Amino acid sequence: MNNPSYNGLLTTIIIFGASGDLTQRKLIPSLFNLFRKRRTPKKFQIVGFGGTVFTDDQFREHLYKGMKQFAEYEFTDEDWNIFAPNLHYHPGKYTETGDFAKLGEALTKLENNDNANRLFYMALPPTLFPAIIDNLNATNQLHENGGWRRVVLEKPFGTDLASAIELNKQVHKALNENQIYRIDHYLGKETVQNILFTRFANTIFEPIWNRNYIDHVQITVAEKVGLEHRAGFYDGVGVLRDMFQNHLLQLLTLVAMEPPASFSASHLRNEKVKVLSAIQPMTPEQVAVCSVRAQYKGYRNEEQVKSNSTTPTYAALRLFVNNWRWKGVPFYLRSGKNLAEKTTQIIIQFKEPPTTMFPMQAMKPNILVLSLQPDEGIHLRFEAKAPDTVNETRSVDMDFHYDEAFGKSAIPEAYERLLLDALQGDASLFTRADEVETAWSLIDPILQTWETHQTPSLAVYRPGSWGPPEGYDLLARDGRRWLNEEASMMLDK
Ligand code: BG6
């Protein structure tokens, strides 16, 4: 590996929760692909740790089955057989300090008593993070003497502001902030990173990217799937904690942020925090009119869901970023499960022309669609003269599709990029402590009003629809409507 950020030492990646779903579905396919692309450190190994008892061979077999089932790329057994000897397993309990002492000994042995880097990956619920970090600390495995030590933390990071602050306190007892990599897998998506490139690698968008030209912004993260056997986790958590506190607010920061001085982690994250800090937390009165919470019909009959559950599976919010660039421009955010389509889109609607010389026409505003998934691309709708008419206009579309421009399967799995960045010590695409806490400070008042006052009341929507009527009303009150159906038509063309 010729990347200068690898320091030549053996790197051990330790995965806690190694027998779980995430490891099999995402982490190993991503690490294997990085290996095939020769992007892993020259000397590396992966050690799984978990409650299940596996031998190394059983662990490899388990992961091989996962590869066959989940890898989104073709691979040969020959490649796998070169990769597999790097995989090891060590069974143990997360709460047993003695098991961590044994893990430490096993790692030292695997590292031939030599200096080595260690990346600890927590593919587990956050309630287990403090015990694991305490145990690693107690067994002296977090000191950076002779190699770096980094910890990757999976989401969700806390369940509200107080728990996020507490979790940050606990991890900071043993780790410096620059050793901590909090994952939001949306930031690993190529199309999400491309928001920054579209805005800041071009000059044509930035002059009009503000309240003078933009009418409003819509961010939709719609899922066709329902709970997918995750009801035990999901019920009581709900869409605001699961999707808004992290993914949707991250998308908003990338659309709204000022150009950072550089792509460095601190410059980028400073700008994102500034955006979040410019959003006024909602008062209960605002929550009542600027938020929608809903549950799909039949949710309460799902296995492991309480029969009187009020957990929302859909939400929509209207937020304002109170700074010079965005004052008065609404950002409408929505996300839900069991909706009509899987689509993640950011739609920027520009203002209408101030006057028109075409009296017969109702002017349509320009819209820019950043289609993040599944049909990755960018579309710009503008008006053109309809041929053979005197003064009629017709909406037309300029578009860019990733698969046309870069070839099919050009887009790697988000975890590949994030794992690579963590290995290389680049935290730009990970969320910082203050960023997570500021995001919670916006979500908390909404949750409190919903959960304590039951306001607004919980709406119901039909599975396979675009959400409840209340979701449409949120925009209709402002004389606007969700544009995704129109945008999907543009994409289909
Ligand atoms: C996860 C949520 O963070 O993101 C899931 O916990 C959700 O509920 C998933 O399904 C969506 O991710 P993606 O990459 O499929 O849009």
Side-chain angles (χ1 to χ4, degrees):
M1 185 79 215
N2 47 19
N3 188 309
S5 56
Y6 286 128
N7 58 9
L9 296 182
L10 168 68
T11 298
T12 307
I13 302 165
I14 301 101
I15 303 178
F16 296 107
S19 53
D21 207 40
L22 184 73
T23 306
Q24 222 189 8
R25 273 176 190 265
K26 300 285 184 194
L27 302 184
I28 294 301
S30 300
L31 286 164
F32 181 34
N33 216 18
L34 287 174
F35 174 75
R36 296 186 333 149
K37 294 177 184 172
R38 298 180 193 283
R39 292 182 183 170
T40 41
K42 213 175 205 156
K43 292 182 281 173
F44 84 103
Q45 56 191 350
I46 300 167
V47 179
F49 182 99
T52 311
V53 178
F54 281 134
T55 62
D56 283 0
D57 280 341
Q58 286 167 335
F59 184 51
R60 290 169 190 161
E61 188 54 32
H62 167 77
L63 298 178
Y64 176 75
K65 277 192 199 137
M67 285 297 303
K68 286 279 178 207
Q69 202 178 341
F70 303 117
E72 288 173 8
Y73 54 84
E74 302 277 323
F75 69 95
T76 61
D77 283 359
E78 205 182 332
D79 280 349
W80 176 259
N81 292 338
I82 301 174
F83 176 74
N86 296 302
L87 299 164
H88 306 274
Y89 190 80
H90 188 90
K93 286 207 177 75
Y94 302 116
T95 46
E96 288 292 326
T97 311
D99 286 356
F100 281 74
K102 285 188 202 139
L103 171 69
E105 284 162 24
L107 293 178
T108 307
K109 207 166 148 201
L110 281 168
E111 291 159 351
N112 295 322
N113 269 314
D114 215 344
N115 286 337
N117 306 312
R118 290 186 192 171
L119 180 76
F120 297 101
Y121 196 112
M122 312 270 178
L124 290 162
T127 42
L128 290 167
F129 299 169
I132 297 175
I133 291 172
D134 278 355
N135 280 330
L136 286 173
N137 202 23
T139 52
N140 204 20
Q141 297 192 58
L142 295 174
H143 279 295
E144 297 195 299
N145 44 359
W148 51 252
R149 299 288 180 266
R150 296 178 193 143
V151 176
V152 182
L153 302 174
E154 262 297 329
K155 68 162 277 257
F157 197 85
T159 52
D160 56 14
L161 178 59
S163 61
I165 292 174
E166 185 53 34
L167 195 51
N168 273 331
K169 255 196 222 147
Q170 284 171 331
V171 295
H172 284 150
K173 273 198 279 179
L175 295 157
N176 294 320
E177 181 61 26
N178 66 7
Q179 293 176 280
I180 305 170
Y181 292 73
R182 295 176 197 78
I183 282 230
D184 181 319
H185 79 280
Y186 266 55
L187 294 176
K189 291 181 190 277
E190 283 290 337
T191 49
V192 172
Q193 292 157 37
N194 194 43
I195 300 170
L196 294 181
F197 286 77
T198 304
R199 291 189 56 199
F200 304 135
N202 298 296
T203 49
I204 58 171
F205 297 113
E206 217 33 39
I208 53 170
W209 208 262
N210 57 51
R211 63 195 298 274
N212 299 326
Y213 293 92
I214 291 179
D215 178 74
H216 73 278
V217 177
Q218 301 185 1
I219 302 179
T220 296
V221 182
E223 294 192 272
K224 204 172 161 68
V225 294
L227 298 182
E228 292 185 299
H229 313 293
R230 290 168 76 228
F233 155 76
Y234 194 88
D235 196 40
V237 171
V239 66
L240 215 53
R241 293 185 174 95
D242 189 41
M243 298 295 289
F244 281 71
Q245 185 275 338
N246 37 65
H247 310 325
L248 277 97
L249 284 180
Q250 284 296 324
L251 296 179
L252 185 153
T253 60
L254 297 176
V255 173
M257 72 197 276
E258 295 302 317
S262 78
F263 214 81
S264 76
S266 60
H267 284 153
L268 206 72
R269 299 192 293 183
N270 286 348
E271 294 305 334
K272 291 203 291 172
V273 174
K274 280 192 214 161
V275 173
L276 294 172
S277 315
I279 302 174
Q280 206 72 47
M282 286 192 209
T283 61
E285 293 72 30
Q286 287 166 334
V287 173
V289 288
C290 299
S291 75
V292 177
R293 59 183 186 124
Q295 200 177 67
Y296 64 80
K297 215 168 167 200
Y299 174 76
R300 292 175 186 179
N301 303 328
E302 300 270 16
E303 228 171 278
Q304 294 190 53
V305 169
K306 289 195 207 77
S307 57
N308 60 352
S309 170
T310 55
T311 299
T313 58
Y314 167 102
L317 301 179
R318 187 184 75 171
L319 298 174
F320 287 99
V321 180
N322 292 317
N323 60 19
W324 273 57
R325 189 189 280 263
W326 295 114
K327 179 86 185 166
V329 178
F331 285 73
Y332 300 101
L333 276 53
R334 75 173 161 169
S335 180
K337 298 236 177 247
N338 244 328
L339 295 178
E341 246 176 57
K342 176 170 175 79
T343 179
T344 302
Q345 274 182 352
I346 299 173
I347 301 185
I348 319 282
Q349 180 172 317
F350 292 91
K351 293 195 167 169
E352 288 175 16
T355 67
T356 174
M357 54 191 270
F358 313 109
M360 305 305 290
Q361 303 292 310
M363 282 291 119
K364 275 203 178 154
N366 300 125
I367 61 175
L368 181 71
V369 182
L370 307 177
S371 176
L372 307 183
Q373 58 185 20
D375 178 13
E376 293 87 356
I378 298 182
H379 303 257
L380 177 67
R381 182 182 80 184
F382 61 101
E383 298 301 294
K385 179 178 179 294
D388 208 17
T389 67
V390 177
N391 60 5
E392 280 177 27
T393 65
R394 194 79 42 85
S395 299
V396 292
D397 175 33
M398 281 203 300
D399 60 353
F400 144 64
H401 292 263
Y402 271 77
D403 55 358
E404 280 169 15
F406 300 116
K408 288 231 178 293
S409 48
I411 298 186
E413 164 57 47
Y415 275 93
E416 244 183 67
R417 172 64 194 266
L418 296 174
L419 281 161
L420 183 63
D421 283 0
L423 285 167
Q424 295 186 342
D426 181 353
S428 311
L429 300 177
F430 295 84
T431 43
R432 206 168 58 187
D434 54 343
E435 197 175 347
V436 174
E437 291 176 13
T438 315
W440 274 120
S441 74
L442 301 175
I443 295 299
D444 249 24
I446 305 173
L447 285 172
Q448 275 163 19
T449 310
W450 286 5
E451 289 168 7
T452 321
H453 307 291
Q454 297 292 315
T455 321
S457 49
L458 185 69
V460 178
Y461 62 100
R462 187 176 53 78
S465 69
W466 277 107
E470 287 81 347
Y472 290 88
D473 296 345
L474 180 74
L475 275 71
R477 279 201 300 272
D478 298 341
R480 301 189 175 97
R481 65 202 160 82
W482 293 107
L483 294 165
N484 62 293
E485 280 135 85
E486 256 172 72
S488 296
M489 273 162 55
M490 285 162 62
L491 300 175
D492 288 345
K493 269 202 280 186

